[in-house]
Amino acid sequence: MQRIVDNALAVTKESVKTVTYESLNNIARCINGISALLLTLLPGKANILEGLHGWELRPTFRGPRLPRWMHNGVSSFNHFVHELSVDSDTSSSDYSSGEESDGALPASPSSQSSRLSWASASANPESHWTEWVTFLLWWLIFPLRILVWIPQYFLRLFYKRSSTRAPTSPRRNQRSPRPRVSKTMSSKDHDVPNRATDRRRGVIEDLHLAIEICIEAIFDFFHRATHVILSPSEAFAKMSAWFSSRGNSGKESRDDVLDDEPVQTATLGDADPSLSERPTRLYNSMNTDTRTCQDVITELGYPYEAIRVVTSDGYVLLLERIPRRDARKAVYLQHGILDSSMGWVSNGVVGSPAFAAYDQGYDVFLGNFRGLVSRDHVNKNISSKEYWRYSINEHGTEDIPAMIEKIHEIKTSELKLSEPNIDEEINQEEPYKLCAVCHSLGGAAILMYVITRKIKEKPHRLSRLILLSPAGFHEDSNLGFTIVEYIFLFVSPVLAHIVPAFYIPTRFFRMLLNKLARDFHNYPALGGLVQTLMSYVVGGDSSNWVGVLGTPHYNMNDMPAVSFGVAKHLAQIKHTGKFKMFDYGSRTANMEVYGSPEPLDLGESYEFIDVPVDLVAGKKDKVIRPSMVRKHYKVMRDAGVDVSFNEFEYAHLDFTFSHREELLTYVMSRLLLVEVTPSQQRQSSQKGMKLKKKKKEGTVV
C-alpha cells in the first residue's frame, strides 16, 4: 500500500510541476509577444535599437546585450526569501523607532507592523464592501504567503542543522590563520562568487525555482504524513531514535564544554574571520552579482590597488588604481552621473579605456565621486539628510582635489623610491605627467576644479584634459527635460525636505532591477520595448540603457545615487543657460560662500584654463547634445584656451559602456601628445645608462 501511495504522489508531483512550469512559460511568452506587438507600433524604434552595437531588427527581434564578462553570476532565490523577511522587519522597526535609514520609507507589507495594520484594516466593520475587498485580496495573496513561508522554514531548518553539525577542530584554542589583506583594501570588499557553478538568473527563472521548491515541500509533507498513517510503528521507532540521539549528543556537547579549556577572548574580535566569513558568504549568495571593479580588473590579470581618500568635509572616497609604480605618465579617469569606476572597465580588455591606457604604459587611476547608497563618511552617525547635502560644487572643489592630491602624494613618494635623485626635479616641476579623461558630469566637475584651483593660486597638477560629452551647458535639450526642469525648480523648496537624494531605496528593489535586466536580455522583444521607452524618456538617445541597468554597480548591496543638490544644480544650469556654480537661493547665502551675491560663472572664467583641452561630442547623444559641447569649444577658443573638438557617431553612454575602437584610438593619440620634459628624459636616460654599466660590470666579473 505504501508503494502504491508513493507512486501516486510521485506521478502527481511531476504532473503538477509540468503544468505550473509550462503555464509560467506560456505567460512569459505571452508577455514577450505582446511586447513585440507594441514594439512594432512605436515610432522611431529603428534608430533607437539599431544604434546599439550588434543590434539587428531583422529577421528577428533581439534584446540589448550585456557586457561579455557579465554572462555569469549568482542566483539566489532561496537565500533571498530568508533575507527579504528579516530585512523587511528590521528596516520597518528602525523606521518606526526613529533610527537612521537610507530612504526613510514606510515599512514593507511583509513586516510585523504592516501585518498588524493589515489585520486591523480587515477587522474594521465600517463598510461592508471594504471587508469583501480585503477578504478577496487576502485569499489572492495567500499562495504568495505560502510561497514565501515554506522556503523560509526549510532555510531556517537547514541553517540550524548545519550549525549543530559543524565539525569541530581538535585544536580548539588555536587561532585560525588570518588571510593577508592589503592595507589599501576597503573593509567592504567581498569575495568573488564561484561563477563555474552559479549563474545569474532573472525573475522568471527564480519563479521557476520558487514553484519547484514549493511543490517539493508540499508533496514531501504529504509523503511523510501518509508514511506515518500507513506505517505508525516504523515512524514511532524513528522518532524515538531521533529523540534519544539528540539527548546523547547534548550530553556529549556539555561534557566537551566542561572538559575543554576556556576560549581565548582574542578570537572573538571583529577582525576574526570566523565571525565575518559566514555573513559575508551569505551576503554574497543573496546578491545577483557581487562583482566590483576590483573583481573585473583582477580576473583579467591586471594589478589592482584600492586607495582610501578622505575629503576635507569628511566624505570617504574610493580611488582605484591599475598601478605602474615606475611610470612617469599617469591618467585619471572620472565617471559621470549615476555611474562609477565600473564604466571604464566594463568592456573587458579590448574595449575599455582603463586597460588601453595601462597597456600604453600609463599608471591608471579610477576616481569615484561621493554619493553611494552605503554613505561612507568619517562620521558614522551622519544623518541621511546631512550626507546628501551637496551639489556639483563639492564634486569639483572637494572630491577631485582630494583624489588628485592623493595621486600626487603617491606618485612622488614612489618615484623617490625608484629614483633617489628626483628631489631637485620636484622643486622645479612635477616629476610625472597626469592627464584626465572625464565623461559627462565628470567633465563639468574637472573644469570647475581647474578654474577654482587657479583662482586660489593652487596647482591643479594636470597636463591635459580629455572631456567626453562634458556637462556644463544644457539649454539645447528636448521638451521632456525642459518640463522636468520647470517642475523641479517649482517644487524644489518642498521636495528638498522630503527627498534628500534619488536612488532605489531598498535592497529588494535594487535586486529586482538587476534581475529584471536579465529578463530583458532573455526575452528580446520585452527588452527592446523597455529600451525604446527608456530612450523616449531621455529624448531618443540610443544608448544601451537596459544593458547598463544590469551592470554590477547597480546591485542589491549598493548603487550610485544623485543627491537633490546635484539635480537642482543641473536644473539651475539649464534654466539660466550658463555654466555656473551652485546658487544657494539668496544673496546673503551666496555672499557667505562666494564673497559675491551671485555664484561664480565658470563659462566666463575659462581664461584660467592653462592646459590643452580635447572635447569629444556624440552626434547621436540626446542627453548632452553636440551643440552644447560645441558651445564649450567656442567659449574656450574665445578665451584663448588650447582646445580641440571632435565628433563621433555615438550616443551618450557609448563613450564608456560600448566597445568603440575608434574612440580608444583617438583618446590614446591625445594622451600621447603629452610628453615628458627634457629633464625627465635626461633622468630616465641616466637611469638607463646606470643599468647598462651594471650589466657590463656583471659580465666582466
Side-chain angles (χ1 to χ4, degrees):
M1 187 64 183
Q2 181 66 40
R3 184 178 300 176
I4 295 174
V5 173
D6 289 345
N7 291 335
L9 287 175
V11 172
T12 307
K13 181 177 70 173
E14 294 302 324
S15 301
V16 172
K17 279 185 179 181
T18 303
V19 171
T20 54
Y21 187 84
E22 289 301 324
S23 300
L24 187 59
N25 278 341
N26 290 333
I27 293 173
R29 294 190 191 102
C30 181
I31 294 174
N32 197 51
I34 294 173
S35 301
L37 293 176
L38 294 175
L39 190 60
T40 58
L41 302 176
L42 294 177
K45 60 183 177 300
N47 295 332
I48 294 172
L49 299 181
E50 290 181 353
L52 295 177
H53 184 65
W55 185 277
E56 296 176 359
L57 278 178
R58 294 176 296 273
T60 58
F61 291 98
R62 296 177 58 191
R65 293 178 177 178
L66 299 174
R68 293 184 300 275
W69 53 270
M70 286 181 51
H71 290 299
N72 296 322
V74 176
S75 175
S76 57
F77 181 84
N78 300 2
H79 298 295
F80 162 70
V81 171
H82 172 70
E83 173 64 11
L84 176 61
S85 60
V86 176
D87 184 56
S88 301
D89 291 339
T90 55
S91 62
S92 62
S93 62
D94 291 345
Y95 176 79
S96 60
S97 60
E99 292 181 0
E100 186 59 33
S101 61
D102 286 349
L105 296 177
S108 61
S110 60
S111 65
Q112 183 179 0
S113 59
S114 298
R115 286 195 294 269
L116 292 175
S117 61
W118 182 272
S120 61
S122 62
N124 186 9
E126 292 181 357
S127 57
H128 183 70
W129 67 271
T130 54
E131 293 180 0
W132 277 104
V133 171
T134 304
F135 178 77
L136 291 175
L137 287 176
W138 189 90
W139 277 105
L140 286 175
I141 67 172
F142 181 75
L144 182 61
R145 292 165 65 91
I146 295 296
L147 190 69
V148 172
W149 176 81
I150 292 176
Q152 178 182 348
Y153 172 77
F154 282 100
L155 277 174
R156 289 177 178 174
L157 184 62
F158 171 75
Y159 284 123
K160 287 180 181 178
R161 291 185 177 179
S162 61
S163 61
T164 56
R165 297 179 182 178
T168 57
S169 174
R171 304 174 64 184
R172 292 174 179 261
N173 296 331
Q174 183 177 2
R175 187 179 302 180
S176 59
R178 301 187 181 185
R180 297 182 61 186
V181 181
S182 175
K183 292 182 179 180
T184 56
M185 292 296 296
S186 172
S187 61
K188 295 186 178 181
D189 294 332
H190 305 304
D191 297 332
V192 182
N194 185 3
R195 292 167 194 85
T197 57
D198 293 329
R199 189 172 68 88
R200 189 162 60 105
R201 297 177 185 263
V203 175
I204 301 299
E205 292 171 300
D206 276 347
L207 283 177
H208 285 161
L209 178 62
I211 291 173
E212 186 172 355
I213 292 172
C214 183
I215 293 173
E216 288 285 349
I218 293 173
F219 278 89
D220 183 66
F221 171 78
F222 282 108
H223 173 74
R224 294 178 183 273
T226 55
H227 186 73
V228 170
I229 294 172
L230 297 176
S231 303
S233 59
E234 185 178 351
F236 180 76
K238 288 184 177 180
M239 290 180 63
S240 60
W242 184 71
F243 279 113
S244 62
S245 63
R246 286 184 60 87
N248 294 332
S249 63
K251 291 180 180 180
E252 293 176 359
S253 62
R254 285 193 296 270
D255 293 339
D256 291 339
V257 171
L258 293 175
D259 294 339
D260 288 337
E261 297 178 1
V263 179
Q264 296 180 2
T265 56
T267 61
L268 301 179
D270 294 335
D272 191 85
S274 62
L275 296 178
S276 59
E277 184 177 359
R278 182 184 171 189
T280 301
R281 190 182 297 114
L282 180 62
Y283 198 54
N284 287 334
S285 64
M286 291 184 297
N287 199 0
T288 52
D289 194 344
T290 58
R291 273 175 289 182
T292 62
C293 185
Q294 172 188 355
D295 299 329
V296 177
I297 294 173
T298 54
E299 283 174 0
L300 295 174
Y302 286 82
Y304 175 84
E305 182 180 350
I307 305 164
R308 185 176 185 265
V309 179
V310 181
T311 64
S312 60
D313 54 352
Y315 287 78
V316 180
L317 311 177
L318 176 62
L319 178 63
E320 299 176 280
R321 183 187 186 190
I322 310 178
R324 282 188 184 272
R325 305 187 188 283
D326 58 345
R328 287 284 195 143
K329 48 186 181 179
V331 60
Y332 167 70
L333 303 173
Q334 184 57 59
H335 62 79
I337 196 169
L338 283 175
D339 197 2
S340 70
S341 56
M342 181 70 72
W344 302 109
V345 298
S346 60
N347 292 302
V349 176
V350 178
S352 300
F355 297 132
Y358 180 85
D359 294 338
Q360 291 293 325
Y362 285 85
D363 194 356
V364 180
F365 292 88
L366 308 171
N368 287 281
F369 281 143
R370 67 182 68 187
L372 290 175
V373 176
S374 55
R375 299 201 317 237
D376 200 358
H377 196 275
V378 293
N379 180 13
K380 300 303 179 183
N381 297 321
I382 188 172
S383 65
S384 177
K385 186 177 180 180
E386 288 295 326
Y387 177 86
W388 296 109
R389 188 176 293 172
Y390 63 86
S391 64
I392 305 177
N393 283 18
E394 281 69 28
H395 288 327
T397 61
E398 296 288 348
D399 296 350
I400 293 181
M403 288 186 282
I404 289 184
E405 287 303 312
K406 178 63 71 172
I407 293 172
H408 175 71
E409 176 186 343
I410 291 172
K411 290 303 297 180
T412 52
S413 62
E414 289 178 349
L415 290 175
K416 280 182 180 180
L417 293 176
S418 60
E419 303 176 18
N421 299 326
I422 204 174
D423 293 332
E424 297 179 359
E425 185 179 341
I426 293 177
N427 295 330
Q428 298 176 358
E429 57 184 359
E430 307 294 346
Y432 60 92
K433 294 295 183 180
L434 177 63
C435 301
V437 180
C438 307
H439 176 240
S440 190
L441 185 66
I446 201 75
L447 289 173
M448 182 184 297
Y449 163 73
V450 172
I451 293 171
T452 54
R453 296 290 283 191
K454 293 299 293 184
I455 292 176
K456 296 177 181 178
E457 297 182 352
K458 294 181 179 180
H460 55 69
R461 310 190 191 284
L462 295 172
S463 301
R464 194 176 195 92
L465 303 179
I466 302 175
L467 309 182
L468 311 177
S469 189
F473 296 110
H474 300 279
E475 61 266 25
D476 182 14
S477 61
N478 59 24
L479 180 62
F481 283 149
T482 304
I483 294 175
V484 171
E485 166 212 335
Y486 280 99
I487 294 176
F488 187 83
L489 292 177
F490 179 75
V491 301
S492 61
V494 178
L495 199 63
H497 301 284
I498 303 173
V499 183
F502 301 95
Y503 58 91
I504 301 175
T506 63
R507 288 193 291 168
F508 167 71
F509 288 109
R510 290 196 290 269
M511 181 279 310
L512 186 62
L513 175 68
N514 199 275
K515 284 186 173 291
L516 284 175
R518 186 66 183 180
D519 285 327
F520 298 152
H521 176 73
N522 295 336
Y523 297 93
L526 178 61
L529 178 64
V530 175
Q531 166 70 26
T532 305
L533 295 176
M534 292 183 67
S535 180
Y536 286 166
V537 173
V538 293
D541 189 89
S542 60
S543 301
N544 189 357
W545 300 100
V546 172
V548 170
L549 290 179
T551 51
H553 61 282
Y554 292 101
N555 57 56
M556 181 188 291
N557 308 337
D558 211 352
M559 68 168 289
V562 178
S563 73
F564 183 88
V566 170
K568 186 176 180 180
H569 197 172
L570 291 173
Q572 290 176 357
I573 291 174
K574 186 181 184 314
H575 186 72
T576 60
K578 296 181 179 180
F579 183 19
K580 284 185 165 186
M581 299 188 76
F582 186 73
D583 189 348
Y584 289 91
S586 66
R587 299 172 65 90
T588 304
N590 289 331
M591 282 293 296
E592 293 179 359
V593 178
Y594 305 114
S596 63
E598 294 292 330
L600 176 65
D601 191 331
L602 298 171
E604 295 179 356
S605 306
Y606 276 175
E607 67 270 9
F608 289 101
I609 301 176
D610 58 349
V611 293
V613 180
D614 301 300
L615 299 172
V616 183
K619 294 181 180 179
K620 297 181 180 180
D621 193 342
K622 304 300 182 182
V623 178
I624 300 177
R625 296 189 175 184
S627 58
M628 296 294 93
V629 183
R630 197 176 291 109
K631 184 175 181 178
H632 279 289
Y633 171 72
K634 292 179 181 179
V635 176
M636 288 184 185
R637 185 186 58 187
D638 295 341
V641 180
D642 183 6
V643 61
S644 67
F645 178 82
N646 203 347
E647 284 184 335
F648 293 95
E649 293 287 339
Y650 297 164
H652 189 67
L653 298 183
D654 292 342
F655 291 101
T656 54
F657 286 101
S658 296
H659 178 196
R660 304 289 182 173
E661 196 66 37
E662 56 180 350
L663 176 65
L664 291 180
T665 303
Y666 176 78
V667 171
M668 291 302 107
S669 65
R670 308 312 291 182
L671 289 176
L672 292 175
L673 295 177
V674 178
E675 299 179 353
V676 294
T677 61
S679 61
Q680 293 172 349
Q681 291 179 348
R682 197 163 45 246
Q683 189 154 353
S684 61
S685 62
Q686 290 176 359
K687 184 179 179 181
M689 292 294 293
K690 291 180 181 179
L691 292 175
K692 289 182 180 179
K693 289 181 180 180
K694 289 182 179 179
K695 289 182 180 179
K696 289 182 180 180
E697 291 175 358
T699 54
V700 170
V701 174

